[in-house]
Each structure stands twice: as C-alpha cells, then as structure tokens.
Amino acid sequence: MTDILVSPEVDPPSAPAVRRLFIKTYGCQMNVYDSERMADVLRPLGFASTDTPEMADFVILNTCHIREKAAEKVYSELGKLRLMKEARAAAGADPMTIAVAGCVAQAEGEEIMRRQPAVDLVVGPQAYHQLPELLTRTARARGERIGADFAPNEKFDAMPAVRGVDGPTAFLTVQEGCDKFCSFCVVPYTRGAEWSRPAADVLAEARGLVDQGVREITLLGQNVNAYDGAGPDGAVWTLARLARALAEVPGLSRIRYTTSHPNDMSDDLIAAHGELEALMPYLHLPVQSGSDRILRLMNRKHGRQSYVDLIGRIRQARPDIAISGDFIVGFPGETDRDFEDTLGLVRDVGYASAFSFLYSPRPGTPASTMGAPVPADVALARLHALQALLLEQQTAFNRAQTGRTLDVLFEKKGRHEAQAIGRSPYLQSVHVEDADHLIGRIVPVRIEYGQQNSLKGVQLGA
Ligand code: SAM
Ligand code: SF4
C-alpha cells in the first residue's frame, strides 16, 4: 500500500503569496472533511481556494475507492488535468502541481504514478498533514516512498487548531478505519484498523467551530458508533458519552453522526436519542440486504430480524426518528428470493431516505472471488425496483410533514431572490422565501408541502 509518492518535478514553494488551490472531492463525507483539512494545512503556505482547476497552482484529487466507477473517474479526470498542465507550461505560466490523495492513492499509488506521469504526488489518507513538507521537497527520486504507515493520531496532531468554516454546519472526524471486514468492502484495507480520536481533542475542535458560528456538527467515522476514544478523565468514552459532553457545549444546537454499524448501536447510544435534545432524530444505519443468507455471505455479523428489532428499540427511545440506510443489490449469488427479502425488509422498516448501489467487485476483497455474478441486466432491474420503493417511502415521509412546524437551520441562499435553504431535524432540505437574512439561525418553519427531495415552508420566527 502507498502512503506517499513524489515525483522529482515538484516545485518548491516560494515565500507565502496567494497561490491557487483546487481540490476535487470524491466519495463520502469523511473525504469532504479531509479535503477541508488539506485546505487548512495549506493555507499558511499562501494557498487560497479556486473553483477552476485551469487557474490552480496546486490540484488535489481526493479520491474514493469504494466502487470501481469511483476509481475510474479519477483516471479520466487526471487525463484532463494533464492537458491543463501542459497548456500552462506551453503558455509559460507557473507550473501546476497535481496530487492524488485518499483511498485510490492508498490502494493504487504506484499504478497511478505509472499510468499518469503528470501526477507529482500521491498521498494516502493518513499522510495529508505532510502536504506542506512535500511541496518543499524537490529533486526527490520519482516514486520514492517516504513517511510510510503514519498512525492517524500523527495526522490529527499536526493539523492547525483553527479550521476554516463555511456556513453554520461542519463535519468533524472522530473515528477512522474499520475492523468489520464485510466481504465486499475495501475500507478495512484502505483506511486501516479502527481508531478513535481522544475526546478532549474532539471537544476542543467542536468549541473552535462553534466560536466561528457553527451550530450543527456531524461526527464522522467509517464506524462512528464504534467510537472508543480516551476521555479526559482517563476512562474510555463511548459515542454516547461524547455526544452527552458535546450537548453541553454552549452554542452547539445540533449533533449528528454517520456512519453507524448495527452491531455497535449500544443501549446507551439508543437512550441518548431519547434524552438529548441536541442529538437530531435522524439515523443512518446501513443494512445492505434483507436476506439472512446474503448477510452471512457479506460477513455482516447481524441478521435481518436483529436489525428490525434494533430499529424497534431505537423507535421506542425516539418515536419520530428518521431512519436511513445503505443497500447493495446484485451481490454474488443473490437470487430473486433474496432480493424479495430485501424489499420485504424495506417495507417492514419504512425508510425516510436511503442509498442503494449495484454491487461492484473490489480487487482483494473476499466477495470478488465468490463467483456466480448476478447478470448485469437482472441486477439493474433489481436496483430500479428497490430505488422506486425507497423513493416512494421518502416521498411519503416528506409529505407527512405538511402542516407541521419544524425547526430549520438555515444554511445557504436558494435559487430565488431572498430564498434560503436549510435542514429540518430529519435532515430534509427545506426551502423558504424571504429568509436569506436568517442564514446561520435555527427558526421555526411551518411546512406547506413536502415533495420527493425537499420541503417548502414559511418561517414563523423573526
Ligand atoms: N461503514 C459503513 C457501513 O458499514 O455501512 C459504510 C461504509 S461504505 C463507505 C458506504 C457504503 O458503500 C456501504 O454501506 C455499502 O452500501 C457501499 N459499498 C461498499 N462496498 C461496496 C461495493 N463493493 N459495491 C457496492 N457498494 C459498496
Ligand atoms: Fe465497509 Fe463493512 Fe466496515 Fe462499513 S462496516 S466500512 S461496509 S467493512
């Protein structure tokens, strides 16, 4: 696995001046967080963000390896960047440095350097705090491996204490890695073993965000509810304990967390949903399949009924909670009967929103050699059927909000003049006219109607 690879053509940074940084993020919220932190470590070197890669002195592709399509997109983007880099050089402009970061970098670093010579740096997810240093290195032998196998805590320790924020919501990574080894998934191989940040560091970062106007924090982790960070009192803190401490931070009104594994949903965390006003009534709890046979092949270590029972206990603690999930269709050997079990589970649970994916074989994972692939047309038909059912449930959940008054945290301007867009406690997008002066605030909104992807309402606050 690759941690950092550098080519010799990297230019040393000159004295801090405004230099343009373009970061393209693929994949999950954890990558969004990582991209923000990369911008934070590069800011002291004079890097300011640009939206146009053609203008950028430094381009970073922060990549995702979870499905084949996601990884292939990176190579096609690199082809375009190579042309931009050559055009800049031909025009005599400052050279463009190109880096590939994230999980594709971790899994295929050497392959990237071989396939696309325009790439100057390859940086794995645990090494991006080294970006400033890497930019100062010149005359390095191409492909040299440096700083291998960083532990996650080195990265977090090296981050600037103050983060750049963009609006009233922020992501905060508290946990990384995965020990679950679902048979289809690359995460345990690209992100390494489960590791949790110390609670005091998380609390300090949260307070810093709140000082800058953040009202809602989403705690992130590949298995966030397996959080077991060192507490300031010397005890190991669970996610429930961390949420209770965060709920005490003045000014922090909303706490969310994602993504969770059903087996790490402790009684304490379930109870916290009934007790903490700041813990939002929304839970992303992937199940992947409704067939016990497929769940066993997936090495999920939970069954269909235990998941349904778990949802029941969570709803007892917080009856209005919105449940979300992830599903994979077309896992090797999945029969019509298995797929019917998935549709049945969706009907039993009732989802407010969900993500569904076609199974994508990932090299090195046990499922990739399980054989008996589901024919592509069958898998696609199943995906469409599942998505139609999930969309029906999502639309029904949104429509059911009509006439209710929901607290909305306004995040940004909408497309219409003076329109603002915010989020309900259930993570629904809410559009309100004449509300752009309310951005950054939580205001009661009467919902006029709900549709497939959003709600429309009128604000009742000042
Ligand atoms: N840790 C989380 C969990 O256990 O649910 C999710 C991590 S993964 C980044 C997000 C989702 O990608 C998974 O829940 C799964 O549905 C999907 N996924 C992972 N590997 C996949 C594969 N090989 N093919 C299709 N979808 C996949
Ligand atoms: Fe992947 Fe399973 Fe770990 Fe989620 S729990 S990151 S799906 S191995």
Side-chain angles (χ1 to χ4, degrees):
M1 287 211 182
T2 317
D3 290 288
I4 297 176
L5 298 166
V6 286
S7 100
E9 293 91 26
V10 177
D11 286 298
S14 48
V18 176
R19 291 189 291 165
R20 279 147 303 189
L21 170 68
F22 176 83
I23 306 183
K24 180 157 182 166
T25 308
Y26 300 82
C28 64
Q29 293 105 326
M30 296 199 66
N31 270 12
V32 175
Y33 176 88
D34 286 353
S35 292
E36 287 171 8
R37 298 306 267 153
M38 287 183 215
D40 289 341
V41 291
L42 291 166
R43 201 167 294 116
L45 274 77
F47 278 104
S49 295
T50 171
D51 292 337
T52 35
E54 293 88 347
M55 302 292 291
D57 301 292
F58 190 18
V59 175
I60 303 175
L61 301 186
N62 191 12
T63 61
C64 172
H65 202 241
I66 202 86
R67 281 169 288 279
E68 191 181 1
K69 229 175 169 177
E72 273 311 313
K73 276 191 204 155
V74 173
Y75 286 106
S76 111
E77 189 66 27
L78 284 173
K80 291 186 216 153
L81 287 172
R82 177 189 174 176
L83 297 179
M84 288 178 207
K85 184 173 178 158
E86 286 170 359
R88 271 175 76 110
D94 287 343
M96 175 191 277
T97 302
I98 300 175
V100 180
C103 292
V104 178
Q106 182 70 16
E108 298 182 12
E110 285 167 33
E111 167 87 359
I112 293 169
M113 297 293 264
R114 194 183 56 72
R115 268 177 73 172
Q116 187 43 272
V119 174
D120 300 290
L121 300 168
V122 172
V123 186
Q126 302 310 347
Y128 59 71
H129 60 296
Q130 298 274 316
L131 280 169
E133 187 189 331
L134 290 170
L135 280 171
T136 66
R137 290 177 187 225
T138 55
R140 277 273 185 179
R142 179 181 172 83
E144 183 187 347
R145 190 181 163 120
I146 51 171
D149 300 327
F150 291 106
N153 58 330
E154 284 177 35
K155 171 181 69 182
F156 287 109
D157 288 350
M159 287 292 147
V162 178
R163 282 180 54 182
V165 304
D166 180 21
T169 62
F171 292 132
L172 201 174
T173 294
V174 302
Q175 184 275 341
E176 291 209 4
C178 181
D179 299 340
K180 302 285 188 293
F181 291 93
C182 298
S183 62
F184 52 81
C185 184
V186 288
V187 167
Y189 311 98
T190 56
R191 290 273 177 164
E194 284 179 9
W195 178 83
S196 299
R197 290 177 74 187
D201 293 2
V202 174
L203 287 164
E205 191 169 327
R207 287 193 197 97
L209 290 168
V210 171
D211 287 347
Q212 295 183 77
V214 168
R215 306 290 310 274
E216 171 180 309
I217 290 179
T218 302
L219 306 175
L220 298 180
Q222 265 94 22
N223 267 298
V224 71
N225 60 343
Y227 177 85
D228 60 353
D233 53 2
V236 172
W237 281 25
T238 60
L239 188 67
R241 181 103 192 251
L242 184 65
R244 288 178 203 282
L246 284 164
E248 301 290 316
V249 172
L252 181 56
S253 310
R254 292 179 159 197
I255 302 163
R256 304 183 187 275
Y257 58 93
T258 196
T259 293
S260 297
H261 190 284
N263 289 3
D264 291 317
M265 211 58 219
S266 67
D267 290 345
D268 194 18
L269 187 55
I270 294 172
H273 274 282
E275 291 161 19
L276 298 179
E277 205 190 320
L279 197 54
M280 289 293 98
Y282 171 92
L283 181 63
H284 184 66
L285 199 59
V287 62
Q288 316 298 354
S289 169
S291 153
D292 277 329
R293 200 180 69 83
I294 295 294
L295 287 171
R296 262 194 307 279
L297 290 173
M298 286 179 164
N299 192 31
R300 284 290 290 183
K301 304 189 184 88
H302 61 75
R304 173 208 169 97
Q305 195 53 45
S306 62
Y307 178 83
V308 172
D309 292 347
L310 175 61
I311 299 288
R313 283 190 286 128
I314 295 164
R315 284 192 167 137
Q316 241 171 358
R318 181 79 207 226
D320 65 334
I321 198 160
I323 300 292
S324 166
D326 288 347
F327 296 86
I328 295 177
V329 299
F331 187 82
E334 184 190 68
T335 61
D336 285 343
R337 171 90 189 269
D338 293 317
F339 178 64
E340 280 303 320
D341 285 346
T342 297
L343 293 179
L345 174 92
V346 171
R347 287 191 198 99
D348 286 351
V349 170
Y351 286 87
S353 69
F355 302 92
S356 44
F357 311 102
L358 274 182
Y359 168 71
S360 168
R362 308 310 294 128
T365 59
S368 67
T369 54
M370 277 183 185
V374 174
D377 56 334
V378 174
L380 201 59
R382 287 179 190 163
L383 184 70
H384 289 156
L386 175 62
Q387 290 184 336
L389 176 60
L390 289 168
L391 214 54
E392 197 183 295
Q393 294 192 341
Q394 178 175 310
T395 308
F397 182 75
N398 287 349
R399 288 202 179 130
Q401 310 304 321
T402 306
R404 289 187 68 190
T405 297
L406 300 178
D407 282 342
V408 171
L409 171 55
F410 285 104
E411 292 176 16
K412 58 183 182 194
K413 281 173 174 286
R415 260 185 287 154
H416 307 161
E417 178 75 17
Q419 187 187 51
I421 301 177
R423 294 267 175 192
S424 77
Y426 311 109
L427 205 62
Q428 295 148 302
S429 180
V430 186
H431 299 240
V432 180
E433 306 301 327
D434 298 323
D436 60 344
H437 58 293
L438 298 173
I439 289 169
R441 290 176 50 192
I442 297 173
V443 177
V445 167
R446 191 165 44 75
I447 303 303
E448 294 179 309
Y449 59 86
Q451 41 201 8
Q452 191 173 295
N453 294 315
S454 63
L455 310 179
K456 175 91 175 63
V458 286
Q459 54 105 354
L460 304 176

